[in-house]
């Protein structure tokens, strides 16, 4: 099912699908992303596994986790995120930190207010570009629908994203800042 982001039911439909462990394609402030709720101990929808199967992505490469507010990073990160990075949130900056749950994790607080409102209601969501692993991200909504509509539960459309840059990815988990991908935000 494809719904326009401007449709009055888009938000509530999206929140409902995410809370029920469904896979949704969402527009972000960069490119479209496969999204699903980040599972906690009490919910086991296997959302990460479902996205990996659709995308054809191996388990060694984790997904970005989108959060609703910049200050939520302190709930997840063992590291203190530098104020200079937090000043770029909300925005297209992904920060890899040592996660309180163990290991490392990548977090982003997106610049799109509509998306942040969805996340505030559903909880953190996984996000990874809409493409088959190793292929370029799809930029035209018609291509996204044609390629993935039968694989996902809901597509929220906000038009084409031609020329959109992905998020910049920085890693602070080692104690020093390393830019892993220069994208939409200059670091």
């Amino acid at each position: 099912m494809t719904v326009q982001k401007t449709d009055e039911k888009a938000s509530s439909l999206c929140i409902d699908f995410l809370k029920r462990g469904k896979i949704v394609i969402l527009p972000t402030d960069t490119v479209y992303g496969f999204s699903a709720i980040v599972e906690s101990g009490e919910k086991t929808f296997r959302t990460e596994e479902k996205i990996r199967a659709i995308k054809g992505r191996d388990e060694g490469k984790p997904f970005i986790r989108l959060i609703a507010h910049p200050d939520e990073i302190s709930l997840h990160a063992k590291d203190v995120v530098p104020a200079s990075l937090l000043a770029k949130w909300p925005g297209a900056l992904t920060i890899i930190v040592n996660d309180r749950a163990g290991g490392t994790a990548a977090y982003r607080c997106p610049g799109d207010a509509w998306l942040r409102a969805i996340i505030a209601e559903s909880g953190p969501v996984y996000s990874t570009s809409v493409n088959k692993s190793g292929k370029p991200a799809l930029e035209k909504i018609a291509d996204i629908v044609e390629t993935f509509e039968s694989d996902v539960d809901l597509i929220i459309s906000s038009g084409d994203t031609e020329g959109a840059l992905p998020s910049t990815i920085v890693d602070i988990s080692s104690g020093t800042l390393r830019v892993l991908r220069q994208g939409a935000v200059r670091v």
Side-chain angles (χ1 to χ4, degrees), residues 13-186:
L13 194 60
C14 186
I15 292 165
D16 175 59
F17 274 56
L18 288 169
K19 284 184 172 183
R20 292 189 295 127
K22 304 295 182 182
I23 307 303
V24 180
I25 292 178
L26 292 173
T28 73
D29 49 345
T30 57
V31 297
Y32 279 92
F34 289 115
S35 297
I37 193 166
V38 173
E39 300 187 272
S40 63
E42 62 231 29
K43 293 184 180 178
T44 55
F45 298 118
R46 302 173 69 125
T47 56
E48 187 174 9
E49 185 178 305
K50 290 176 187 176
I51 295 172
R52 285 189 190 288
I54 294 166
K55 195 170 170 80
R57 188 166 175 173
D58 67 47
E59 292 185 30
K61 196 170 179 186
F63 298 134
I64 294 170
R65 299 169 184 207
L66 301 180
I67 55 177
H69 302 286
D71 59 351
E72 289 177 23
I73 190 66
S74 64
L75 301 173
H76 306 286
K78 289 181 184 177
D79 308 299
V80 175
V81 178
S84 61
L85 292 179
L86 287 177
K88 297 180 183 298
W89 274 1
L93 174 66
T94 299
I95 304 170
I96 299 173
V97 297
N98 289 296
D99 198 70
R100 291 187 187 277
T104 60
Y107 289 92
R108 181 157 71 91
C109 180
D112 183 275
W114 180 88
L115 181 54
R116 286 195 317 276
I118 298 298
I119 298 164
E121 289 293 320
S122 68
V125 298
Y126 293 118
S127 184
T128 181
S129 60
V130 175
N131 60 314
K132 289 292 187 180
S133 190
K135 302 289 184 187
L138 296 178
E139 298 178 325
K140 295 185 181 211
I141 192 65
D143 294 340
I144 291 169
V145 171
E146 180 182 330
T147 307
F148 292 109
E149 186 172 41
S150 63
D151 296 323
V152 300
D153 300 292
L154 177 66
I155 298 172
I156 301 293
S157 172
S158 68
D160 296 340
T161 61
E162 291 179 272
L165 293 174
S167 66
T168 297
I169 300 176
V170 298
D171 185 344
I172 65 165
S173 65
S174 67
T176 59
L177 187 146
R178 291 183 308 132
V179 177
L180 302 183
R181 177 177 72 197
Q182 186 60 61
V185 172
R186 296 295 298 161

